[in-house]
Amino acid sequence: MPDDEWDRFLKESVEGTADAPREPSARSRIVARRLREDPAPPTAWRAHTPPPRPKRTGWYAVALLVVVALLAVALFPQQVTGWFGGDDAGGTPLAQESERPTGAPPRGTAERPTREEPFRGSPAARWASGVDGITMPAAEATGWMSTAQVQQALRQTRDFLVASNLDPGVLRGERPARAIALMNPHQKDVQDFLSAAFSTPGEENDPLLLFSRFDQRARLVGDDVRTRGRISYAAAGDGALRVTTDVTYVYPVAPASGGDEVARTIVRREVVLDWNDPKKVITEPGTFSLVSYSLDMTNGGCGPTTGLLAPQFAAERSTAPKGGPEVDPYDRSRSIDERTQESRDEECGTATRS
């Protein structure tokens, strides 16, 4: 540097007029070095990093409870029904019965039936109507029958139940011709029974053992009959397809003379029949042989056999004698034979509800 420039620099430094560089403070040096050694990552334009979300462990607990509830409904529908108010008319319709229930359905509110709601106050308020309440099993080749033949036999068995217990004409007292046409005409004891039952009905030849027919003093309320039951099958000892049916029918009825009163007649039937191999048993195509039948009837009449259901209404019930074993007509947890084993000699029992 020339001597004159050096002299000027020294003079200005003493007077404080020079643009001498300033020494940063110790804190500034530390911050600057940290930024150089550990620079922050670049931020994208308009980038946004949302704050971390809190963990929602409560939702997992709710989901677990829902799964447990659905599993309980699937495994124990009869018991779970009572958790939500029983069998009221506004309840959810029951799923079809796939096996024998473990107990009687819970009791609902003691509401009287009306013409608008004839099943109110009873378990039947949640049952299906007509044929929809009868569970049909999947068909598989069994005995002498192929899968298609088993399927056909099951359909015809259901047709027999409909023609015996749901046909409007039969319910009014007509002869169940369509149902009889499905019965083996070569089964002599059954044909003798049918002949006597419709000509001279009696205790041993009562058409009510197989068919639901009402006395003219009562008439059905509407055309809705509630049902619950199932059909099952297996191979019989001789190779026949043995079909077992167990169905409860609930009929709302009113006096034919008029009035607002509505009562219910409840009929449960267990009918066992064979679809025989024509190579072993004399039969006709499309007909079955009757093996056995059982009947449990509530408010269908308790007196001399007439071959017709004769429900009682308020005036008659008030003067009817009390007594006999108590029976819940909606209880399907036991077979009819098991339930009546101790009271076979009793002419009439007492229904705990209708």
Side-chain angles (χ1 to χ4, degrees), residues 159-160 162-165 167 169-171 173-183 191 194 198 211 213 287-288:
D159 291 344
F160 172 76
V162 171
S164 302
N165 304 279
D167 182 275
V170 174
L171 294 178
E174 297 176 7
R175 184 181 178 88
R178 290 196 308 123
I180 294 174
L182 290 166
M183 306 175 76
Q191 294 301 318
L194 294 173
F198 293 103
F211 312 105
R213 304 161 69 237
T287 66
F288 62 80

Side-chain angles (χ1 to χ4, degrees), residues 47-56:
H48 171 65
T49 303
R53 296 182 179 181
K55 295 182 179 180
R56 300 182 179 182

Side-chain angles (χ1 to χ4, degrees), residues 43-61:
T43 302
W45 183 66
R46 290 189 179 179
H48 171 65
T49 303
R53 296 182 179 181
K55 295 182 179 180
R56 300 182 179 182
T57 55
W59 287 108
Y60 295 102

Side-chain angles (χ1 to χ4, degrees), residues 132-144:
D132 292 336
I134 304 174
T135 306
M136 287 279 284
E140 295 180 0
T142 304
W144 69 280

Side-chain angles (χ1 to χ4, degrees), residues 31-210:
V31 172
R33 184 171 66 250
R34 188 173 62 197
L35 291 175
R36 287 195 303 269
E37 295 174 354
D38 188 20
T43 302
W45 183 66
R46 290 189 179 179
H48 171 65
T49 303
R53 296 182 179 181
K55 295 182 179 180
R56 300 182 179 182
T57 55
W59 287 108
Y60 295 102
V62 172
L64 180 60
L65 290 175
V66 171
V67 171
V68 171
L70 292 175
L71 184 61
V73 171
L75 296 177
F76 309 104
Q78 296 291 339
Q79 290 86 342
V80 175
T81 299
W83 301 353
F84 305 101
D87 48 16
D88 59 294
T92 304
L94 290 178
Q96 283 195 324
E97 183 179 282
S98 58
E99 59 184 9
R100 179 166 292 171
T102 58
R107 293 183 175 276
T109 56
E111 296 179 291
R112 291 186 176 276
T114 65
R115 292 182 181 274
E116 293 74 24
E117 297 182 74
F119 302 101
R120 187 172 67 171
S122 80
R126 300 182 60 208
W127 291 7
S129 300
V131 70
D132 292 336
I134 304 174
T135 306
M136 287 279 284
E140 295 180 0
T142 304
W144 69 280
M145 286 186 161
S146 66
T147 299
Q149 289 173 313
V150 170
Q151 189 173 43
Q152 176 68 11
L154 293 175
R155 281 199 298 262
Q156 289 181 302
T157 299
R158 185 178 60 185
D159 291 344
F160 172 76
L161 299 181
V162 171
S164 302
N165 304 279
L166 298 173
D167 182 275
V170 174
L171 294 178
R172 290 193 298 267
E174 297 176 7
R175 184 181 178 88
R178 290 196 308 123
I180 294 174
L182 290 166
M183 306 175 76
N184 183 1
H186 302 288
Q187 194 176 8
K188 187 176 185 305
D189 57 342
V190 174
Q191 294 301 318
D192 290 344
F193 162 80
L194 294 173
S195 178
F198 293 103
S199 58
T200 55
E203 186 176 347
E204 297 297 325
N205 299 301
D206 188 353
L208 291 180
L209 294 173
L210 288 173

